[in-house]
Amino acid sequence: MSTPVEVLLWDCDGVLQHGRFDWRARLDGAVRPGFARRVFEAELPALRGERPLRTVLEELLHVEGEHGGHVPVTVEDLLDVWEQFDLDPEAVAVLTAVRELGVRCMLATNQQDHRVQHMRGVRGYDDLVDGSYYSSEMGAMKPDPAFFEHILDDLDLPAERIGFVDDLASNVAAARSVGIRAVHHDPQAGASGLVEVLTPLVPRLASLRGT
């Protein structure tokens, strides 16, 4: 049997929550092709905590208007896009089961300031987990190893006692590069797939298989 971890870090988008629509198609369709790419590029400083999301979006829309004419969306429209997601109740149930087995569960996720406020104040994430590591509050974002090094320093635990689950292989590789026991979750595998990949980190989860 594998040695259980003491702390399990959870990615959010693609693991605990899922978007309601294709953001790229929605943004490109609302404005013009390529707009979604420019929005997500503009978001990067906010994800690293360097600037507020609202500020970078205001600047983006100003530039878009100067170079491309009328932009039929507002900053509020764009901010609302990041609120259009749903928690996965089955994944949350797995997280709850892990906590009930005595493993501390903490978020480890790339989020800018607007999303952090929404996740905490509206979606109630603080009540679901034992703590949170948001990229915008840490000054580093996945897959930068510095993101995980910050967590290691904060937890003050050997890396092998910490697990991590994410749906992006690049983030899993970055966590593994600093010794964290990271596993990859395919969102299409659902809760049963999540239990399967987490069982080596939390062996007693095996009892949930087939339930």
Side-chain angles (χ1 to χ4, degrees):
M1 178 178 291
S2 301
T3 303
V5 296
E6 294 182 27
V7 175
L8 183 56
L9 306 171
W10 294 74
D11 175 48
C12 288
D13 297 290
V15 178
L16 294 174
Q17 63 192 32
H18 307 286
R20 295 172 180 167
F21 48 76
D22 184 331
W23 290 12
R24 290 185 180 275
R26 178 70 64 91
L27 292 170
D28 283 352
V31 182
R32 59 184 67 93
F35 181 67
R37 174 181 55 79
R38 292 188 287 275
V39 168
F40 295 134
E41 288 175 352
E43 183 192 19
L44 291 175
L47 286 170
R48 294 189 295 265
E50 298 165 1
R51 306 183 69 197
L53 180 64
R54 180 180 290 275
T55 300
V56 298
L57 292 179
E58 288 173 345
E59 293 179 357
L60 171 68
L61 291 181
H62 178 72
V63 171
E64 287 289 319
E66 285 191 331
H67 294 119
H70 174 66
V71 181
V73 295
T74 67
V75 170
E76 299 303 327
D77 293 330
L78 295 180
L79 292 174
D80 182 67
V81 169
W82 276 282
E83 299 177 8
Q84 301 304 310
F85 66 89
D86 296 303
L87 272 68
D88 183 332
E90 293 185 347
V92 171
V94 175
L95 181 152
T96 300
V98 172
R99 291 184 76 195
E100 289 174 347
L101 290 172
V103 177
R104 284 189 289 159
C105 289
M106 313 184 85
L107 303 184
T109 179
N110 288 342
Q111 307 291 345
Q112 20 74 2
D113 59 322
H114 179 81
R115 201 99 179 289
V116 171
Q117 293 169 11
H118 182 77
M119 290 170 65
R120 281 183 163 151
V122 178
R123 301 307 181 98
Y125 263 110
D126 285 352
D127 295 328
L128 295 177
V129 294
D130 299 293
S132 302
Y133 293 104
Y134 291 106
S135 62
S136 58
E137 297 180 342
M138 295 163 56
M141 60 181 287
K142 301 178 289 184
D144 186 343
F147 177 93
F148 297 101
E149 290 168 350
H150 174 97
I151 295 175
L152 287 176
D153 289 342
D154 188 65
L155 290 175
D156 194 26
L157 287 172
E160 64 269 17
R161 296 184 187 176
I162 302 170
F164 171 61
V165 57
D166 200 294
D167 66 313
L168 295 181
S170 57
N171 295 338
V172 171
R176 288 176 177 171
S177 74
V178 300
I180 291 173
R181 293 165 62 187
V183 295
H184 178 260
H185 170 60
D186 178 359
Q188 300 301 317
S192 62
L194 185 58
V195 169
E196 182 175 356
V197 299
L198 289 179
T199 295
L201 306 180
V202 188
R204 285 190 290 166
L205 267 183
S207 63
L208 296 182
R209 290 182 178 178
T211 61

